[in-house]
Amino acid sequence: QNLPHNQGYLLIVNSKNQSGLPITLCVTDYTSRKCDVYSTLTAFKTFGQDVFLLPPMDKEGVGYDINIDNLGINKSPAINYISNIEFIPIPYNFLLNIESAGQKPVSKLTGKVEKVIKYNPDTYYVLASDAPTLVTLNLSFEKGFRAYEIKCSGNLSCFLASTFAPLFGKEIKTQVLVNNWENGWITQGGQIAIAFIPQYLEYFGIVLIIGLLTYLLSRLRK
């Protein structure tokens, strides 16, 4: 309860999963009452460590709560063990400024997301400023989401470009995990389409079935 938020920490959890789902962890601070860390622990079969980084937050805040969920589903009990939980203070700002000899300077993410259009839960259009930008959409991290560079002008053009981005767009490979749960991409700005590829495979399957049925009906009529 007395840990200051202006200090960085490593949060280390030693746990073991015997059966069912592993533990879900939420670390909330007393200021925002939101999860600064929200993650499912690794399903270790012997005791193992999950390590999370808590960077310095607000200067005046103090105190954290640790909330642990142990969820069983449909008569499948979740049996988990925790041996210990540690908060280890670290010199976050000092470590952040360490550079090795000959290290290339890292470009700062100075850009920002200027516009987001959600066409459906599987397709998004993003306009970012022309600078290195971290693009996030409050989507849980999932490798099935892909980001693509596109070019378009006007609402219809951008809708079509975003929809067919997996076919004609240039993929952005720098997908990253943000805040321990969120999907993110480091981009150079500009126009970006984000698509959920597994859903596109379902669409392709539907089109294939319709095409096959149309072909069979035409053959039957003949």
Side-chain angles (χ1 to χ4, degrees):
Q1 295 178 353
N2 61 347
L3 293 181
H5 295 173
N6 61 0
Q7 167 72 56
Y9 303 94
L10 289 181
L11 171 62
I12 301 177
V13 183
N14 282 277
S15 66
K16 179 178 74 171
N17 170 251
Q18 180 172 315
S19 65
L21 296 175
I23 286 171
T24 300
L25 182 76
C26 169
V27 180
T28 60
D29 69 59
Y30 285 2
T31 302
S32 69
R33 308 308 303 176
K34 295 181 179 179
C35 295
D36 290 343
V37 173
Y38 182 80
S39 180
T40 300
L41 300 184
T42 306
F44 296 114
K45 294 308 175 186
T46 59
F47 277 103
Q49 288 187 342
D50 283 296
V51 181
F52 304 95
L53 173 64
L54 271 171
M57 305 298 283
D58 57 295
K59 294 182 180 180
E60 304 297 330
V62 175
Y64 292 95
D65 276 339
I66 300 177
N67 302 290
I68 297 170
D69 284 335
N70 191 58
L71 302 176
I73 297 177
N74 193 23
K75 299 182 181 180
S76 298
I79 303 176
N80 294 280
Y81 298 89
I82 291 180
S83 63
N84 64 292
I85 299 174
E86 299 176 86
F87 279 85
I88 300 178
I90 59 171
Y92 181 86
N93 292 321
F94 172 75
L95 295 174
L96 196 65
N97 292 310
I98 291 178
E99 295 183 4
S100 61
Q103 181 181 8
K104 294 182 179 180
V106 178
S107 59
K108 294 183 179 180
L109 302 175
T110 57
K112 64 178 181 179
V113 174
E114 298 179 349
K115 183 178 182 181
V116 176
I117 299 177
K118 179 181 178 181
Y119 295 118
N120 55 62
D122 314 308
T123 311
Y124 297 79
Y125 168 82
V126 178
L127 177 63
S129 53
D130 291 326
T133 305
L134 177 61
V135 174
T136 63
L137 297 177
N138 292 323
L139 300 172
S140 296
F141 186 84
E142 167 58 57
K143 290 184 178 180
F145 276 104
R146 305 288 176 82
Y148 302 88
E149 295 178 1
I150 60 172
K151 292 183 179 180
C152 62
S153 58
N155 293 335
L156 179 60
S157 173
C158 290
F159 170 73
L160 293 174
S162 299
T163 301
F164 294 101
L167 296 177
F168 305 108
K170 180 182 178 182
E171 186 176 355
I172 299 171
K173 299 289 187 178
T174 52
Q175 186 179 16
V176 294
L177 178 66
V178 181
N179 295 328
N180 291 310
W181 70 275
E182 192 175 4
N183 249 339
W185 291 267
I186 298 174
T187 76
Q188 297 304 311
Q191 295 174 307
I192 300 157
I194 297 175
F196 188 56
I197 299 303
Q199 187 63 50
Y200 276 72
L201 297 177
E202 182 180 345
Y203 293 152
F204 176 75
I206 293 173
V207 171
L208 193 63
I209 291 172
I210 293 173
L212 179 60
L213 289 175
T214 303
Y215 171 76
L216 292 175
L217 286 173
S218 65
R219 295 283 295 179
L220 185 61
R221 287 171 182 166
K222 291 181 180 179

